[in-house]
Amino acid sequence: MTKRLNLKAYGKINLGLDVLRKREDGYHEVRMIMQTVGIYDKIELSLQEKPGITVETNLYYLPNNENNLVYRAADLLMKEFKTEGGVHINLKKFIPVSAGMAGGSSDAAAVLVGLNRMLGLGLTREQLMERGVKIGADVPYCIMRGTALSEGIGEILTRLPPVPQCQVLIAKPGISVSTKFVYGNLHADRLKKGEHPDIDGMAEAIRRKDLQGIAGRLGNVLETVTVPAYPVIQEIKDTMADYGALGSLMSGSGPTVFGLFTDKKDAERAYEELRYGKKSEIAKQVYLTDFYNVED
Ligand code: ATP
């Protein structure tokens, strides 16, 4: 039995995010185009003789108890399979936290995949995804990774072909945006037709491998709430456009913004400006990365 395992938990962006309606149970029905990017958290799992789950992270403000999603993922499998002994989880965060990049969900997904392997549980990917949704709606997608259409509350997934590679600039402003505030102020039934992103058109552009078509259809209905409330989001989008982005968009419920660039030099200049230049005032965390594609 392997004693130690190192894992990478990748973040995601939404190339498209639409909200159809609020269900009676309070969940929102969504249609999203999900895309994994090259930014990842590092997780080390170490099996221990002593029972129990211990969590250590590099960010003092993250919980290291059952409120951390990595704990919940380990607990779910270890309880179900009545595992003897315990596990220590060392989590190093690089994905911006509370940022719309599903960092916590991806960490949980990595722990499910990793423990399944280390403990020899023999669960298939689908079986892990079924368990993942109990932790969070985005966890099944984070197990799947790559490009996908996500429907229902996020758990109905359809694989899409990989998107054409390009530079992805990611910038998170130094503000916190509560997911509750964003969904609470979105009135999906009152939106005009033009305010809904073209999710089917986006899926088609991806199937055609048409990067211009993808960039031209970037759309996130949650921007109708966050952009007026937090103008800094628009300012980051505009900066990316000024530096030659094909398109830019807020990811998830924000406040992270990403921009797609075909020209590496343009992307690097935009990165420099947001990271170190005058515009560094509006961006707290800035990364230059690319798409993480999965072929299966
Ligand atoms: P989403 O894109 O799914 O909305 P997010 O990017 O908004 O996710 P996360 O960073 O995944 O948000 O989670 C943020 C919240 O979850 C914080 O309140 C944090 O304390 C809690 N949390 C629990 N476990 C983790 C984890 N492993 N990583 C980050 N946050 C975690």
Side-chain angles (χ1 to χ4, degrees):
M1 188 166 57
T2 331
K3 287 278 269 186
R4 242 172 237 274
L5 186 61
N6 285 296
L7 302 157
K8 289 178 182 174
Y10 288 88
K12 65 89 182 147
I13 54 174
N14 297 100
L15 299 175
L17 193 162
D18 197 11
V19 179
L20 305 185
R21 67 180 185 106
K22 191 174 176 181
R23 306 195 316 194
E24 286 67 44
D25 62 6
Y27 282 102
H28 285 86
E29 216 172 282
V30 292
R31 291 190 87 216
M32 308 188 284
I33 305 281
M34 318 287 280
Q35 174 62 47
T36 311
V37 291
I39 299 173
Y40 53 85
D41 293 340
K42 291 183 182 173
I43 299 177
E44 186 183 69
L45 300 179
S46 328
L47 296 183
Q48 314 281 320
E49 272 177 31
K50 195 166 160 244
I53 299 163
T54 47
V55 177
E56 177 186 352
T57 86
N58 60 330
L59 297 180
Y60 71 91
Y61 53 84
L62 281 187
N64 53 13
N65 54 20
E66 65 281 1
N67 292 322
N68 197 303
L69 296 185
V70 295
Y71 185 108
R72 290 185 43 206
D75 192 48
L76 188 146
L77 287 185
M78 293 172 90
K79 277 213 177 100
E80 178 178 346
F81 291 88
K82 302 189 174 56
T83 309
E84 281 175 26
V87 65
H88 179 70
I89 305 171
N90 186 334
L91 168 63
K92 287 204 176 73
K93 293 291 301 182
F94 296 95
I95 303 170
V97 175
S98 297
M101 294 189 67
S105 302
S106 188
D107 295 342
V111 170
L112 291 176
V113 171
L115 274 185
N116 182 45
R117 206 184 310 161
M118 285 179 101
L119 299 170
L121 305 179
L123 295 170
T124 63
R125 193 162 77 166
E126 281 64 34
Q127 289 171 324
L128 287 173
M129 287 162 74
E130 279 162 24
R131 284 156 178 82
V133 75
K134 295 180 191 161
I135 301 169
D138 283 342
V139 176
Y141 164 71
C142 292
I143 292 174
M144 180 179 186
R145 310 207 280 210
T147 313
L149 169 68
S150 159
E151 295 171 290
I153 61 162
E155 84 295 11
I156 306 171
L157 295 165
T158 310
R159 164 71 74 215
L160 292 170
V163 287
Q165 198 50 270
C166 71
Q167 304 285 308
V168 181
L169 180 61
I170 289 181
K172 180 184 177 276
I175 53 168
S176 296
V177 177
S178 136
T179 305
K180 229 178 132 191
F181 164 81
V182 177
Y183 277 94
N185 284 282
L186 179 80
H187 300 287
D189 47 338
R190 283 187 227 156
L191 291 170
K192 294 180 208 87
K193 201 158 178 264
E195 288 180 303
H196 285 285
D198 179 9
I199 300 294
D200 292 323
M202 174 64 83
E204 269 316 301
I206 291 171
R207 290 196 178 95
R208 286 198 309 272
K209 305 207 174 297
D210 169 11
L211 189 58
Q212 292 283 349
I214 293 169
R217 288 176 180 79
L218 295 174
N220 181 347
V221 78
L222 301 178
E223 282 189 351
T224 60
V225 177
T226 54
V227 167
Y230 303 97
V232 65
I233 293 172
Q234 187 62 46
E235 223 183 306
I236 294 179
K237 292 182 66 172
D238 292 344
T239 305
M240 290 185 180
D242 289 347
Y243 279 81
L246 289 183
S248 61
L249 191 73
M250 184 184 80
S251 185
S253 57
T256 302
V257 172
F258 68 87
L260 306 183
F261 293 79
T262 39
D263 187 316
K264 196 158 190 243
K265 289 245 158 53
D266 285 348
E268 283 167 353
R269 280 206 300 270
Y271 171 83
E272 291 290 319
E273 177 62 18
L274 284 161
R275 180 93 167 78
Y276 304 109
K278 275 212 191 84
K279 295 285 179 186
S280 61
E281 281 168 23
I282 60 172
K284 181 115 185 281
Q285 278 170 285
V286 189
Y287 296 94
L288 187 52
T289 183
D290 54 10
F291 293 138
Y292 176 93
N293 284 328
V294 171
E295 308 259 0
D296 67 1

